């Protein structure tokens, strides 16, 4: 005889006895359990098998695949004669190296990618997806875009699910209350073959931000501030949960920006509890549940929030009033300063290895200690990436650009919408005209100059105000100098030709 | 995957902190559909610097790399692990590693050994003239000068590394458990199936 055990927080509570009868189980009772965090609840719900060595086989509900980190995984399956266990749970979209110039000619025929290596990767995905029965959004489809924009937009990403992708910015999906993290290609292959991963539970970290962000201060400024506070390795080994009034008040798109950059603080995942805003965002999305299913889903999602007395392994509190429009000065996302500040003096860092690293960063960035951040000229502007390419980001940038023109010293300014649907929406609102009239280039969706795999690169020795997520050496092209900023700050830099406090425009 | 129990040889004394995977292998090298040949692009930007350790003759083919805190941060690209393997590196010693990199390294039979900064400093001195000996079985790093540093490793990972186990094959043997989980999922959360 099978037994049914129900827990105080489970979806059928308090209908446990009835549920057991329906499922032919003998009702065993209600088990009271200790208070749990959002992360623990999702983890517990996905344990296929707990092992004695501390690892657990974790079920993966959703898998996003793109052209750059998947070819070797599919090849591995093929060589071992394996199939994809659950092709219905995987969604493939090309984004990393597709050009952002037009993809079809005047007759609607696809324009081939000029770079043979990129073309070969795209061709591999186009071959592998149907061969393994995986749903595929083509580069020329209107739904195409950056995987981390497409997932939420299509309702593929759902609260309480586990979601992985061979890309570290998968953390973004945590904004909807999904346990989402980046994986390597061997793990991509493991998920394709088994729909599971063998994992060890991470430690939990609470980042609490109370109060309200001041006018002109955006979610991007907040996450840069947080990374500066805890450091690029501050979250290593942890799953972050962002809590407090600031996140409750924040839009889903803003939350996606925050969760997205969790990895820049070393945390593989960054969660925000799903709430009414999350449900309103997801309702009616193509792959999200509908009708009675929707109601059942919401009932379950409401049980996921961290219990009142749950304990985190570490907690950090940040006062929203301390956050200003924030920019980076160096080559690690932890190298941040308020826009009103100056380039720091490496001698002022306590840690000797940080002193050396800071000096190396300044040499690479072509900056001198003491320079006012607002005196730094920029030649390039990039508004895009999985961090900041959604419609609210484009609106914020357009609000600054409207009625202004690009500064003479700015050589290029790219707007790369996060998806075809974002692009279409922006065009309906006339944002493309505002940008083009000011001197910006209006492009097709993709990862673009965030990582410089496609032709969109920043030339060596030149400087870019970028809404992306990494200011690493060579990230936007060999020798490129990156300053990470919010969309409004990038737009402000475009019209003044230097890093600018958006509040002064 | 081959088993690995010992790594003995010179160590490249790189030593830097926050080495991201864009530094280990720049994005332009990711446009490949195989795992081979990435050693050519490994540490490309560092190799442009005059007198960099990667181009010192005595470290050519060195099987060990020594780095600072937070090695392998940033992008999840497994190409970073493949690039290290292709240049002959099968062990990295650092005070800490990014979670994704250490997992990728493990899947490719590369040891990621965490030692405190003091031990790192000492090994950086030793490798200037002498080889370093890593023994996975006893979980120690030793030098010809009687230095002996113990390191911790997850028992599951240790077993897989020593025996070169095929993790996918092992998980596929748990098919019954996965199928049972899926049956429960369909019963409890039928709405979670993505709509087509």
């Amino acid at each position: 005889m099978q037994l049914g055990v129900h827990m105080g927080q489970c979806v059928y509570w308090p209908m446990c006895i009835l549920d057991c009868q329906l499922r032919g189980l003998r009702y065993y009772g209600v088990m009271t359990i200790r208070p749990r965090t959002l992360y623990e609840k999702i983890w517990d719900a996905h344990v296929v098998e707990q092992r004695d060595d501390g690892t657990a086989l974790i079920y993966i509900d959703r898998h996003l695949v793109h052209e750059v980190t998947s070819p070797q995984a599919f090849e591995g399956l093929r060589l071992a004669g394996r199939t994809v266990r659950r092709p219905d749970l995987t969604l493939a979209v090309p984004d990393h190296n597709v050009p952002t110039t037009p993809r079809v000619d005047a007759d609607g025929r696809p324009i081939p990618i000029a770079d043979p290596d990129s073309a070969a990767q795209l061709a591999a995905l186009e071959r592998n997806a149907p061969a393994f029965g995986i749903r595929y959004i083509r580069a020329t489809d209107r739904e195409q875009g950056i995987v981390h924009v497409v997932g939420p937009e299509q309702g593929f990403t759902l609260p309480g699910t586990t979601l992985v992708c061979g890309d570290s910015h998968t953390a973004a999906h945590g904004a909807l209350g999904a346990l989402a993290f980046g994986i390597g290609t061997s793990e991509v292959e493991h998920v394709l073959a088994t729909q599971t991963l063998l994992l060890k539970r991470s430690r939990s970290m609470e980042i609490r931000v109370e109060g309200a962000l001041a006018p002109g201060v955006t979610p991007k400024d907040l996450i840069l501030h947080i990374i500066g506070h805890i450091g690029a390795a501050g979250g290593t080994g942890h799953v972050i949960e962002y809590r407090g009034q600031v996140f409750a008040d924040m839009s889903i798109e803003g939350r996606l920006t925050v969760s997205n950059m969790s990895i820049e603080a070393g945390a593989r995942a960054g969660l925000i509890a799903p709430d009414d805003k999350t449900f309103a965002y997801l309702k009616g999305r193509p792959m999200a549940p509908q009708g009675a299913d929707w109601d059942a889903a919401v009932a379950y999602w409401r049980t996921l929030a961290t219990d009142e007395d749950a304990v985190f392994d570490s907690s950090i509190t940040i006062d929203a009033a301390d956050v200003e429009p924030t920019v980076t000065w160096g080559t690690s996302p932890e190298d941040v300063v308020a826009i009103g500040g100056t380039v720091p003096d490496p001698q002022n860092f306590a840690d000797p290895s940080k002193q050396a690293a800071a000096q190396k960063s300044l040499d690479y960035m072509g900056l001198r200690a003491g320079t006012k951040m607002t005196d730094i000229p920029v030649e390039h502007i990039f508004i895009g990436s999985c961090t900041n390419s959604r419609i609210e980001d484009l609106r914020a940038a357009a609000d600054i650009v409207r009625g202004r023109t690009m500064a003479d010293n700015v050589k290029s300014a790219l707007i790369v919408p996060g998806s075809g649907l974002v692009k279409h929406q922006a065009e309906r609102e006339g944002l493309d005209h505002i940008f083009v009239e000011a001197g910006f280039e209006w492009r097709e969706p993709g990862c673009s100059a965030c990582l410089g795999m496609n032709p969109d690169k920043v030339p060596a020795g030149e400087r870019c105000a970028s809404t992306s997520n990494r200011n690493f050496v060579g990230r936007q092209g060999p020798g490129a100098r990156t300053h990470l900023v919010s969309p409004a700050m990038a737009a402000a830099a475009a019209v003044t030709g230097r890093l600018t406090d958006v509040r002064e425009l | 995957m081959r088993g690995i129990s010992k790594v003995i040889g010179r160590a490249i004394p790189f030593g830097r902190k926050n080495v991201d995977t864009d530094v280990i292998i720049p994005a332009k090298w990711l446009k490949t559909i195989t795992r081979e040949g990435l050693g050519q692009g490994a540490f490309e930007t560092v190799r442009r610097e005059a007198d960099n350790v990667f181009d010192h003759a005595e470290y050519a083919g060195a099987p060990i790399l020594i780095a600072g805190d937070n090695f392998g941060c940033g992008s999840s690209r497994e190409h970073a692990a493949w690039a290290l393997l292709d240049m002959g590196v099968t062990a990295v010693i650092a005070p800490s590693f990014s979670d994704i990199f250490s997992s990728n390294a493990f899947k490719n039979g590369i040891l990621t050994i965490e030692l405190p900064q003091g031990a790192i400093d000492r090994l950086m001195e030793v490798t200037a003239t002498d080889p370093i000996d890593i023994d996975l079985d006893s979980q120690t790093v030793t030098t010809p000068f009687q230095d002996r540093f113990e390191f911790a490793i997850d028992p599951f990972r240790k077993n897989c590394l020593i025996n070169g186990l095929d993790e996918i094959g092992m998980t596929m043997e748990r098919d019954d458990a996965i199928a049972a989980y899926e049956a429960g999922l369909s019963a409890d959360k039928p709405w979670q199936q993505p709509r087509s």
Side-chain angles (χ1 to χ4, degrees), chain B residues 68-137:
Chain B
D69 254 322
N70 202 24
F71 184 82
C73 62
S75 159
S76 62
R77 59 189 69 170
E78 195 161 319
H79 308 68
W82 302 333
L84 288 171
L85 272 187
D86 198 51
M87 66 187 276
V89 171
T90 51
V92 185
I93 306 177
S96 66
F97 293 88
S98 95
D99 296 332
I100 300 178
F101 175 80
S102 74
S103 168
N104 285 341
F106 159 65
K107 310 277 182 195
N108 288 277
I110 299 175
L111 301 180
T112 53
I113 293 168
E114 288 187 21
L115 288 178
Q117 188 63 48
I120 300 286
D121 294 344
R122 172 62 189 150
L123 294 173
M124 294 272 282
E125 274 172 29
V126 170
T127 191
T129 51
D130 286 270
I132 283 168
D133 187 323
I134 301 171
D135 185 74
L136 182 56
D137 196 44

Side-chain angles (χ1 to χ4, degrees), chain B:
Chain B
M1 197 169 74
R2 79 203 188 290
I4 187 168
S5 58
K6 269 182 169 295
V7 182
I8 302 169
R10 292 293 284 279
I12 305 166
F14 188 35
R16 280 188 208 165
K17 281 179 77 163
N18 286 334
V19 174
D20 58 70
T21 53
D22 276 76
V23 165
I24 301 171
I25 187 83
K28 72 171 195 195
W29 294 92
L30 311 190
K31 295 179 186 180
T32 170
I33 54 175
T34 69
R35 300 171 195 234
E36 282 81 42
L38 289 162
Q40 292 173 65
F43 297 99
E44 188 178 52
T45 50
V46 180
R47 287 189 138 138
R48 289 208 196 96
E49 296 171 11
D51 200 34
N52 73 80
V53 288
F54 294 99
D55 290 335
H56 283 199
E58 66 263 42
Y59 302 124
I64 304 169
L65 179 74
I66 305 178
D69 254 322
N70 202 24
F71 184 82
C73 62
S75 159
S76 62
R77 59 189 69 170
E78 195 161 319
H79 308 68
W82 302 333
L84 288 171
L85 272 187
D86 198 51
M87 66 187 276
V89 171
T90 51
V92 185
I93 306 177
S96 66
F97 293 88
S98 95
D99 296 332
I100 300 178
F101 175 80
S102 74
S103 168
N104 285 341
F106 159 65
K107 310 277 182 195
N108 288 277
I110 299 175
L111 301 180
T112 53
I113 293 168
E114 288 187 21
L115 288 178
Q117 188 63 48
I120 300 286
D121 294 344
R122 172 62 189 150
L123 294 173
M124 294 272 282
E125 274 172 29
V126 170
T127 191
T129 51
D130 286 270
I132 283 168
D133 187 323
I134 301 171
D135 185 74
L136 182 56
D137 196 44
S138 64
Q139 298 180 214
T140 55
V141 178
T142 53
T143 74
F145 307 101
Q146 312 299 315
D147 299 287
R148 185 175 189 279
F149 304 106
E150 287 186 12
F151 60 88
I153 183 169
D154 180 277
F156 170 76
R157 284 193 175 184
K158 181 176 175 177
N159 181 35
C160 288
L161 285 165
I162 289 177
N163 296 305
L165 297 176
D166 165 18
E167 201 184 315
I168 295 178
M170 283 162 59
T171 302
M172 287 180 79
E173 287 174 14
R174 304 305 307 142
D175 186 66
D176 288 355
I178 301 171
Y181 180 91
E182 284 178 328
L185 185 63
S186 310
D188 290 349
K189 297 174 191 150
W191 45 264
Q192 204 176 272
Q193 178 64 26
R195 296 193 316 120
S196 44

Side-chain angles (χ1 to χ4, degrees), chain A residues 74-203:
Chain A
F74 286 115
E75 188 59 18
L77 290 182
R78 220 174 253 123
L79 289 173
R82 290 169 178 156
T83 57
V84 175
R85 181 184 179 87
R86 289 292 301 272
D88 53 325
L89 301 182
T90 297
L91 176 63
V93 193
D95 60 359
H96 273 60
N97 67 23
V98 290
T100 56
T101 44
R103 300 203 177 121
V104 289
D105 63 17
D107 301 323
R109 284 186 301 247
I111 299 172
I113 298 180
D115 172 39
D117 294 333
S118 296
Q121 273 190 332
L122 182 63
L125 188 59
E126 286 181 338
R127 203 169 50 238
N128 286 327
F132 288 94
I134 292 167
R135 192 180 327 204
Y136 181 59
I137 297 177
R138 290 173 301 179
T140 49
D141 289 341
R142 178 180 269 191
E143 293 79 11
Q144 182 271 342
I146 306 171
V147 277
H148 310 311
V149 175
V150 171
E153 193 172 73
Q154 292 298 321
F156 184 71
T157 310
L158 296 179
T161 56
T162 47
L163 183 151
V164 297
C165 172
D167 185 277
S168 62
H169 290 110
T170 307
H173 307 261
L176 296 172
L179 177 58
F181 50 91
I183 56 177
T185 298
S186 294
E187 290 173 309
V188 169
E189 188 178 337
H190 194 281
V191 174
L192 289 171
T194 70
Q195 205 58 38
T196 64
L197 281 175
L198 201 51
L199 297 171
K200 215 169 181 165
R201 195 192 283 238
S202 301
R203 293 187 291 276

Side-chain angles (χ1 to χ4, degrees), chain A residues 11 41 45 159-160 295-304, chain B residues 189 191-192:
Chain A
V11 63
K41 290 182 190 181
D295 297 335
V298 171
Y300 173 67
W301 296 338
R302 286 193 193 284
T303 67
L304 292 169
Chain B
K189 297 174 191 150
W191 45 264
Q192 204 176 272

